[in-house]
Amino acid sequence: MANSALERNPYFNGEARRQHGQQFGQAPTASSYGQQPPAPLTADQLNAQFQAPPATPDQMERMSYEDTIAKTAGLFGIVLVAAAVAWFVPMLMIVGAIGALVLSLVLAFQREPKTGLIFAFAAAEGLLVGGLSSILEAQFSGIAMQAVLATFSVVAVTLVLFRFGKVRTSPRMTKIVLIAMAGYLLFSLVNFGMMLFGFNFGEAGPWGLRSMEVFGIPLGLILGVFAVLMGAYMLVMDFELIKNGVEGGAPRKYGWIGAYSLVSTVVFIYVEIIRMLAILRGNN
């Protein structure tokens, strides 16, 4: 999920690119007159500069797609390792859920990437995913793989549509999605707390308020569809964040924020999908 603290960062809001473009063709200022001009380059020096290969983003310590992909893969590796541990100790899911919530709140307001916190967040996400998947797999065989394939499909389709310019964000839609996401997370926390402290939902089911039916459809299924759609929009926000960072010449360290945003969004989508599948299969 994109970091809202970066909205005023010139590397990610397009300001850096505008400033860079304004530097070319800019008229000399009054302070530039009277200054000693630099010594002209010789023909050999000019020829050497033109023949030299262009500097890569890595050489310039700038954010690049390749480096961000590598960072994202590294974080997913941490998620998978932690998930493998929680698969055999499912109760670690609670530790992961609490840890991921706390760390996400801390990271949401960080202007600079904190790699230690990002690594810890990925580990917490892995504990959550692994524990939840293990519990549901024991009840519904094959559900984890179904959720993985469905999540991959959502990410792949969103990426292709973004790549070909079919989907983009807008300030108004982003504001709506962020408000809706905040409300949904609040609902999830309230529902989790009520379940944790033994609130009696009668015969509604094991998912708390999500098990209640609206016109014969489980509330969790309705909310889950909207949550996945919000997750897909958050993916577009993540892709734009990375694109703006690369094109704006952001320092290489900001690739960690792009990677963190992608991982958190993908995990969110996975959790929503596997929960919807469990609700569907539980009603059969």
Side-chain angles (χ1 to χ4, degrees), residues 6 9 11 49 52 54 64 89 99 134-135 137 141 151 181 186 188 192 194 197 201 209 226 228 234 238-239 258 272:
L6 296 179
N9 191 310
Y11 292 117
Q49 287 188 2
S64 67
V89 189
S134 178
I135 293 172
E137 183 70 22
S141 178
T151 302
M181 182 66 73
L186 178 60
S188 299
F192 178 75
M194 295 172 72
F197 291 104
F201 292 96
L209 295 173
F226 283 105
V228 171
M234 298 294 284
D238 297 336
F239 295 150
E272 293 302 323

Side-chain angles (χ1 to χ4, degrees), residues 12-34:
F12 295 94
N13 61 17
E15 186 64 28
R17 280 176 290 172
R18 288 192 293 270
Q19 292 176 357
H20 180 71
Q22 290 172 358
Q23 291 176 359
F24 296 94
Q26 186 177 20
T29 61
S31 60
S32 64
Y33 291 104

Side-chain angles (χ1 to χ4, degrees), residues 1 8 40 61 63 96 107 113-114 119 133 135-136 143 161 170 177 193 205 212 216 239 248-249 266 281:
M1 300 181 185
R8 293 184 294 275
E61 290 297 319
M63 188 174 170
L107 287 166
K114 308 292 184 182
F119 292 162
S133 301
I135 293 172
L136 294 180
I143 193 172
L161 291 176
S170 68
V177 170
M212 300 176 65
F239 295 150
V266 172
R281 294 179 64 171

Side-chain angles (χ1 to χ4, degrees), residues 202-216:
E203 298 180 358
W207 297 101
L209 295 173
R210 286 187 173 89
S211 298
M212 300 176 65
E213 294 188 351
V214 179
F215 300 110

Side-chain angles (χ1 to χ4, degrees), residues 2-255:
N3 191 334
S4 58
L6 296 179
E7 292 179 356
R8 293 184 294 275
N9 191 310
Y11 292 117
F12 295 94
N13 61 17
E15 186 64 28
R17 280 176 290 172
R18 288 192 293 270
Q19 292 176 357
H20 180 71
Q22 290 172 358
Q23 291 176 359
F24 296 94
Q26 186 177 20
T29 61
S31 60
S32 64
Y33 291 104
Q35 295 181 356
Q36 185 68 24
L41 298 176
T42 65
D44 291 339
Q45 290 174 326
L46 286 172
N47 186 51
Q49 287 188 2
F50 280 115
Q51 291 182 353
T56 64
D58 286 343
Q59 291 172 329
M60 298 174 64
E61 290 297 319
R62 296 298 180 185
M63 188 174 170
S64 67
Y65 292 116
E66 294 80 4
D67 183 65
T68 303
I69 291 173
K71 287 180 169 64
T72 304
L75 291 184
F76 271 120
I78 296 175
V79 171
L80 291 176
V81 170
V85 174
W87 183 273
F88 298 101
V89 189
M91 292 308 296
L92 288 175
M93 175 185 69
I94 299 177
V95 177
I98 296 174
L101 174 62
V102 173
L103 289 170
S104 64
L105 292 175
V106 174
L107 287 166
F109 298 98
Q110 298 294 319
R111 292 180 178 272
E112 298 290 327
K114 308 292 184 182
T115 53
L117 293 178
I118 292 174
F119 292 162
F121 174 82
E125 291 269 80
L127 294 178
L128 170 61
V129 167
L132 179 62
S133 301
S134 178
I135 293 172
L136 294 180
E137 183 70 22
Q139 301 178 48
F140 311 106
S141 178
I143 193 172
M145 183 55 65
Q146 292 174 348
V148 168
L149 293 176
T151 302
F152 177 80
S153 299
V154 172
V155 175
V157 170
T158 306
L159 178 59
V160 170
L161 291 176
F162 178 81
R163 174 64 180 81
F164 289 98
K166 301 301 182 181
V167 290
R168 289 292 186 269
T169 63
S170 68
R172 182 177 181 181
M173 190 62 187
T174 297
K175 185 179 297 185
I176 293 173
V177 170
L178 291 178
I179 293 174
M181 182 66 73
Y184 181 70
L185 293 178
L186 178 60
F187 165 81
S188 299
L189 285 175
V190 171
N191 187 53
F192 178 75
M194 295 172 72
M195 294 172 62
L196 188 64
F197 291 104
F199 186 86
N200 185 15
F201 292 96
E203 298 180 358
W207 297 101
L209 295 173
R210 286 187 173 89
S211 298
M212 300 176 65
E213 294 188 351
V214 179
F215 300 110
I217 303 174
L219 179 61
L221 192 59
I222 299 173
L223 293 176
V225 171
F226 283 105
V228 171
L229 291 175
M230 286 191 294
Y233 187 86
M234 298 294 284
L235 277 177
V236 177
M237 292 178 62
D238 297 336
F239 295 150
E240 286 190 350
L241 180 143
I242 294 171
K243 180 175 181 289
N244 291 338
V246 172
E247 294 181 354
R252 188 176 182 180
K253 62 183 179 180
Y254 284 105

